Amino acid sequence: MIKTEQLYEGKAKKVYATDEKGIYIVSYKDDATAFNGLKKGSIVGKGAINNRVSNHLMTLLEKQGIPTHLIKELNDRETAVKAVTIVPLEVIVRNIAAGSLAKRLGLDEGLKLSSTVLEFCYKRDDLGDPLVNEYHIKALNLASESELDQIKEYSLLINTILGDYLLPLGIELVDFKLEFGRTEDGSIILADEISPDTCRFWDTKTKEKLDKDRFRRDLGGVEDAYKEILFRLMGGA
Ligand code: UDP
Protein backbone atom coordinates (compact mmCIF):
# COMPACT_ATOMS: atom_id res chain seq x y z
CA MET A 1 0.00 0.00 0.00
CA ILE A 2 1.35 3.43 -0.84
CA LYS A 3 0.30 6.94 0.11
CA THR A 4 -1.06 8.98 -2.76
CA GLU A 5 -2.25 12.49 -1.85
CA GLN A 6 -2.39 14.19 1.53
CA LEU A 7 -6.08 14.76 2.27
CA TYR A 8 -5.83 16.67 5.52
CA GLU A 9 -3.40 18.03 8.05
CA GLY A 10 -4.75 18.56 11.53
CA LYS A 11 -3.10 19.69 14.74
CA ALA A 12 -1.79 16.24 15.66
CA LYS A 13 -2.18 14.09 12.55
CA LYS A 14 -1.99 13.98 8.79
CA VAL A 15 -4.31 11.82 6.72
CA TYR A 16 -3.35 10.43 3.32
CA ALA A 17 -5.30 8.67 0.59
CA THR A 18 -3.73 5.42 -0.62
CA ASP A 19 -3.70 3.36 -3.79
CA GLU A 20 -6.19 1.02 -2.10
CA LYS A 21 -9.85 1.97 -2.25
CA GLY A 22 -11.43 2.64 1.12
CA ILE A 23 -8.12 2.81 2.99
CA TYR A 24 -6.43 5.90 4.39
CA ILE A 25 -3.13 6.22 6.21
CA VAL A 26 -2.96 8.31 9.38
CA SER A 27 0.41 9.77 10.37
CA TYR A 28 0.80 10.99 13.95
CA LYS A 29 2.84 14.16 14.58
CA ASP A 30 4.78 15.33 17.65
CA ASP A 31 3.12 18.75 17.37
CA ALA A 32 0.94 19.72 20.29
CA THR A 33 -1.62 22.48 20.53
CA ALA A 34 -4.00 23.57 23.25
CA PHE A 35 -6.71 26.17 23.80
CA ASN A 36 -7.94 25.90 20.21
CA GLY A 37 -4.47 26.39 18.75
CA LEU A 38 -3.47 29.37 20.92
CA LYS A 39 -0.70 27.40 22.64
CA LYS A 40 1.67 25.55 20.35
CA GLY A 41 4.58 23.25 21.02
CA SER A 42 6.04 19.87 20.42
CA ILE A 43 6.19 16.77 22.62
CA VAL A 44 9.15 14.60 21.66
CA GLY A 45 8.05 11.06 20.80
CA LYS A 46 4.34 11.87 21.16
CA GLY A 47 3.37 10.79 17.63
CA ALA A 48 4.82 7.31 18.02
CA ILE A 49 3.33 6.88 21.50
CA ASN A 50 -0.16 8.04 20.51
CA ASN A 51 -0.06 5.78 17.45
CA ARG A 52 0.70 2.73 19.60
CA VAL A 53 -1.59 3.63 22.51
CA SER A 54 -4.54 4.38 20.23
CA ASN A 55 -4.09 1.17 18.24
CA HIS A 56 -3.75 -0.85 21.44
CA LEU A 57 -6.99 0.57 22.87
CA MET A 58 -8.89 0.27 19.58
CA THR A 59 -7.82 -3.39 19.30
CA LEU A 60 -9.21 -3.95 22.79
CA LEU A 61 -12.47 -2.22 21.85
CA GLU A 62 -12.80 -4.22 18.59
CA LYS A 63 -12.48 -7.43 20.62
CA GLN A 64 -15.36 -6.25 22.78
CA GLY A 65 -17.60 -5.54 19.80
CA ILE A 66 -17.02 -1.85 19.05
CA PRO A 67 -16.37 -1.30 15.33
CA THR A 68 -13.35 0.97 14.78
CA HIS A 69 -11.45 2.38 11.82
CA LEU A 70 -8.28 0.46 12.72
CA ILE A 71 -6.88 -1.80 10.00
CA LYS A 72 -3.17 -2.19 10.70
CA GLU A 73 -0.25 -0.41 12.34
CA LEU A 74 2.28 0.19 9.54
CA ASN A 75 5.23 1.66 11.45
CA ASP A 76 6.16 3.86 14.39
CA ARG A 77 3.80 6.66 13.57
CA GLU A 78 1.62 5.45 10.71
CA THR A 79 -1.52 3.33 10.69
CA ALA A 80 -3.83 2.13 7.91
CA VAL A 81 -7.44 2.94 8.71
CA LYS A 82 -10.83 2.56 7.06
CA ALA A 83 -11.78 5.63 5.06
CA VAL A 84 -14.70 7.41 6.69
CA THR A 85 -16.46 10.75 6.63
CA ILE A 86 -16.11 12.16 10.11
CA VAL A 87 -19.36 13.06 11.87
CA PRO A 88 -18.69 16.71 12.82
CA LEU A 89 -19.09 16.10 16.55
CA GLU A 90 -16.67 15.66 19.40
CA VAL A 91 -18.24 13.35 21.93
CA ILE A 92 -16.95 14.02 25.44
CA VAL A 93 -17.45 11.35 28.09
CA ARG A 94 -16.90 12.34 31.71
CA ASN A 95 -16.62 10.36 34.91
CA ILE A 96 -14.88 12.94 37.11
CA ALA A 97 -15.18 16.73 36.96
CA ALA A 98 -12.19 18.38 35.28
CA GLY A 99 -11.28 20.95 32.64
CA SER A 100 -14.08 22.88 31.01
CA LEU A 101 -16.84 21.08 32.95
CA ALA A 102 -15.33 21.98 36.33
CA LYS A 103 -15.00 25.60 35.16
CA ARG A 104 -18.45 25.89 33.58
CA LEU A 105 -20.37 24.40 36.51
CA GLY A 106 -18.12 25.61 39.34
CA LEU A 107 -17.12 22.11 40.42
CA ASP A 108 -13.94 21.11 42.19
CA GLU A 109 -11.64 19.25 39.84
CA GLY A 110 -11.62 15.62 40.97
CA LEU A 111 -15.27 15.48 42.06
CA LYS A 112 -16.66 12.08 41.15
CA LEU A 113 -19.81 12.57 39.10
CA SER A 114 -22.85 10.60 40.32
CA SER A 115 -23.35 9.30 36.80
CA THR A 116 -21.51 9.48 33.49
CA VAL A 117 -21.93 12.71 31.53
CA LEU A 118 -22.02 12.78 27.72
CA GLU A 119 -21.44 16.07 25.95
CA PHE A 120 -21.31 17.00 22.27
CA CYS A 121 -19.25 19.73 20.67
CA TYR A 122 -19.72 20.87 17.09
CA LYS A 123 -16.39 20.36 15.29
CA ARG A 124 -15.77 23.90 14.08
CA ASP A 125 -12.29 25.23 14.83
CA ASP A 126 -13.32 28.70 13.66
CA LEU A 127 -15.98 28.76 16.41
CA GLY A 128 -13.86 27.02 19.07
CA ASP A 129 -15.85 23.74 18.91
CA PRO A 130 -18.97 25.00 20.72
CA LEU A 131 -21.02 22.78 23.02
CA VAL A 132 -24.26 21.66 21.35
CA ASN A 133 -27.19 19.55 22.51
CA GLU A 134 -29.26 16.91 20.74
CA TYR A 135 -31.70 19.51 19.42
CA HIS A 136 -28.87 21.42 17.71
CA ILE A 137 -27.52 18.19 16.27
CA LYS A 138 -30.93 17.40 14.79
CA ALA A 139 -31.68 20.93 13.59
CA LEU A 140 -28.30 21.27 11.89
CA ASN A 141 -28.42 17.72 10.47
CA LEU A 142 -25.05 16.91 12.03
CA ALA A 143 -26.16 13.31 12.60
CA SER A 144 -29.44 11.44 12.14
CA GLU A 145 -31.42 10.29 15.15
CA SER A 146 -30.38 6.66 14.65
CA GLU A 147 -26.73 7.65 14.16
CA LEU A 148 -26.83 9.66 17.37
CA ASP A 149 -28.41 6.75 19.25
CA GLN A 150 -25.61 4.50 17.98
CA ILE A 151 -22.95 7.06 18.90
CA LYS A 152 -24.31 7.40 22.45
CA GLU A 153 -24.53 3.63 22.90
CA TYR A 154 -20.96 3.08 21.67
CA SER A 155 -19.60 5.99 23.75
CA LEU A 156 -21.03 4.65 27.02
CA LEU A 157 -19.86 1.14 26.24
CA ILE A 158 -16.36 2.41 25.37
CA ASN A 159 -16.31 4.23 28.71
CA THR A 160 -17.09 1.01 30.59
CA ILE A 161 -14.60 -1.09 28.63
CA LEU A 162 -11.75 1.41 28.93
CA GLY A 163 -12.46 2.27 32.56
CA ASP A 164 -12.45 -1.41 33.56
CA TYR A 165 -9.26 -2.02 31.59
CA LEU A 166 -7.34 0.96 32.93
CA LEU A 167 -8.21 0.72 36.63
CA PRO A 168 -6.03 -2.36 37.38
CA LEU A 169 -3.19 -0.53 35.59
CA GLY A 170 -3.48 2.26 38.15
CA ILE A 171 -5.08 4.68 35.72
CA GLU A 172 -8.28 6.57 36.41
CA LEU A 173 -10.25 7.47 33.27
CA VAL A 174 -11.38 10.99 34.16
CA ASP A 175 -12.77 12.06 30.78
CA PHE A 176 -12.09 11.63 27.08
CA LYS A 177 -13.10 12.70 23.61
CA LEU A 178 -14.28 10.44 20.81
CA GLU A 179 -14.98 11.00 17.13
CA PHE A 180 -17.02 8.73 14.93
CA GLY A 181 -17.09 8.25 11.16
CA ARG A 182 -19.54 7.06 8.53
CA THR A 183 -18.35 4.29 6.25
CA GLU A 184 -19.44 4.08 2.62
CA ASP A 185 -22.20 1.61 3.56
CA GLY A 186 -23.56 4.12 6.07
CA SER A 187 -22.51 2.45 9.30
CA ILE A 188 -21.02 4.32 12.25
CA ILE A 189 -17.56 3.32 13.45
CA LEU A 190 -15.12 4.75 16.00
CA ALA A 191 -12.46 6.90 14.28
CA ASP A 192 -9.77 9.45 15.22
CA GLU A 193 -7.62 8.45 18.23
CA ILE A 194 -7.72 7.51 21.91
CA SER A 195 -4.52 8.70 23.54
CA PRO A 196 -3.11 10.96 26.28
CA ASP A 197 -3.88 13.82 23.85
CA THR A 198 -7.59 13.08 23.97
CA CYS A 199 -8.12 11.57 27.43
CA ARG A 200 -7.52 12.67 31.01
CA PHE A 201 -5.64 9.88 32.73
CA TRP A 202 -4.85 10.25 36.45
CA ASP A 203 -2.74 7.94 38.54
CA THR A 204 -5.26 6.24 40.84
CA LYS A 205 -3.14 6.63 43.97
CA THR A 206 -1.30 9.90 43.58
CA LYS A 207 -3.85 11.59 41.22
CA GLU A 208 -0.85 12.71 39.17
CA LYS A 209 -1.87 13.78 35.66
CA LEU A 210 -0.57 11.46 32.93
CA ASP A 211 -1.94 13.28 29.90
CA LYS A 212 -1.95 16.44 27.83
CA ASP A 213 -2.92 18.60 30.81
CA ARG A 214 0.81 18.52 31.68
CA PHE A 215 1.38 20.44 28.43
CA ARG A 216 -1.74 22.62 28.66
CA ARG A 217 -0.92 23.70 32.22
CA ASP A 218 2.89 23.80 31.95
CA LEU A 219 3.31 21.14 34.63
CA GLY A 220 6.54 19.72 33.17
CA GLY A 221 7.31 16.04 32.67
CA VAL A 222 5.11 15.88 29.58
CA GLU A 223 7.18 13.33 27.65
CA ASP A 224 7.56 11.13 30.74
CA ALA A 225 3.80 11.10 31.34
CA TYR A 226 3.12 9.89 27.77
CA LYS A 227 5.86 7.25 28.17
CA GLU A 228 4.37 6.12 31.48
CA ILE A 229 0.97 5.55 29.86
CA LEU A 230 2.57 3.53 27.05
CA PHE A 231 4.49 1.50 29.62
CA ARG A 232 1.48 0.77 31.81
CA LEU A 233 -0.56 -0.33 28.79
CA MET A 234 2.03 -2.26 26.86
CA GLY A 235 4.97 -2.83 29.18
CA GLY A 236 8.25 -3.25 27.35
CA ALA A 237 6.53 -4.57 24.21
N1 UDP B 1 -10.59 17.02 24.33
C1 UDP B 1 -9.95 16.73 23.15
N2 UDP B 1 -9.99 17.64 22.14
C2 UDP B 1 -10.64 18.82 22.26
C3 UDP B 1 -11.27 19.13 23.48
C4 UDP B 1 -11.22 18.20 24.50
O1 UDP B 1 -9.38 15.65 22.97
O2 UDP B 1 -10.65 19.61 21.29
C5 UDP B 1 -10.56 16.04 25.44
C6 UDP B 1 -9.65 16.48 26.57
O3 UDP B 1 -8.36 15.92 26.45
C7 UDP B 1 -10.34 15.93 27.79
C8 UDP B 1 -11.82 15.89 27.39
O4 UDP B 1 -11.85 15.94 25.99
O5 UDP B 1 -9.91 14.59 28.03
C9 UDP B 1 -12.65 16.99 28.00
O6 UDP B 1 -12.04 18.21 27.70
P1 UDP B 1 -12.64 19.59 28.26
O7 UDP B 1 -13.98 19.82 27.67
O8 UDP B 1 -12.54 19.59 29.74
O9 UDP B 1 -11.77 20.72 27.61
P2 UDP B 1 -10.30 21.24 27.95
O10 UDP B 1 -10.25 21.45 29.44
O11 UDP B 1 -9.40 20.17 27.44
O12 UDP B 1 -10.23 22.50 27.17
Side-chain angles (χ1 to χ4, degrees), residues 11 34-36 90-94 97-104 109 119 121 123 125 128-129 131 173-179 192-193 195-201 211-213 216-217:
K11 292 170 212 148
F35 314 117
N36 201 27
E90 296 194 338
V91 183
I92 312 271
V93 187
R94 301 179 182 274
S100 68
L101 179 81
K103 199 171 165 195
R104 187 173 355 114
E109 201 164 66
E119 292 174 353
C121 295
K123 260 177 78 70
D125 273 344
D129 299 335
L131 193 65
L173 183 59
V174 174
D175 58 30
F176 58 100
K177 186 260 305 180
L178 300 171
E179 293 185 26
D192 195 50
E193 67 180 284
S195 73
D197 266 14
T198 63
C199 302
R200 284 196 170 92
F201 294 135
D211 56 55
K212 198 170 142 187
D213 269 347
R216 292 189 189 100
R217 303 179 187 188

Side-chain angles (χ1 to χ4, degrees), residues 60-227:
L60 172 86
L61 292 171
E62 280 278 356
K63 282 187 192 146
Q64 309 257 2
I66 307 284
T68 78
H69 71 169
L70 175 64
I71 299 176
K72 189 178 190 297
E73 191 168 297
L74 300 173
N75 57 50
D76 235 24
R77 57 179 73 233
E78 291 181 331
T79 293
V81 299
K82 289 177 193 156
V84 292
T85 313
I86 293 287
V87 176
L89 291 173
E90 296 194 338
V91 183
I92 312 271
V93 187
R94 301 179 182 274
N95 299 303
I96 293 171
S100 68
L101 179 81
K103 199 171 165 195
R104 187 173 355 114
L105 300 185
L107 304 173
D108 285 338
E109 201 164 66
L111 175 82
K112 178 150 178 39
L113 300 165
S114 297
S115 57
T116 303
V117 171
L118 274 192
E119 292 174 353
F120 304 99
C121 295
Y122 179 26
K123 260 177 78 70
R124 277 284 300 265
D125 273 344
D126 58 333
L127 301 176
D129 299 335
L131 193 65
V132 289
N133 66 26
E134 295 192 31
Y135 289 90
H136 297 109
I137 294 170
K138 192 173 176 196
L140 274 64
N141 297 308
L142 304 181
S144 72
E145 214 164 302
S146 65
E147 283 176 335
L148 194 59
D149 284 345
Q150 185 68 265
I151 286 172
K152 289 192 288 184
E153 189 186 323
Y154 285 154
S155 299
L156 294 173
L157 200 54
I158 290 167
N159 185 43
T160 305
I161 297 168
L162 293 183
D164 288 352
Y165 171 71
L166 294 168
L167 206 57
L169 306 176
I171 302 166
E172 206 155 33
L173 183 59
V174 174
D175 58 30
F176 58 100
K177 186 260 305 180
L178 300 171
E179 293 185 26
F180 292 87
R182 292 181 186 105
T183 59
E184 212 159 55
D185 68 10
S187 61
I188 291 285
I189 66 175
L190 179 65
D192 195 50
E193 67 180 284
I194 307 179
S195 73
D197 266 14
T198 63
C199 302
R200 284 196 170 92
F201 294 135
W202 291 357
D203 182 276
T204 18
K205 283 210 188 86
T206 65
K207 308 293 174 198
E208 190 190 3
K209 298 181 198 314
L210 299 170
D211 56 55
K212 198 170 142 187
D213 269 347
R214 300 206 76 84
F215 169 79
R216 292 189 189 100
R217 303 179 187 188
D218 294 320
L219 300 175
V222 189
E223 281 88 0
D224 283 345
Y226 279 68
K227 279 189 210 155

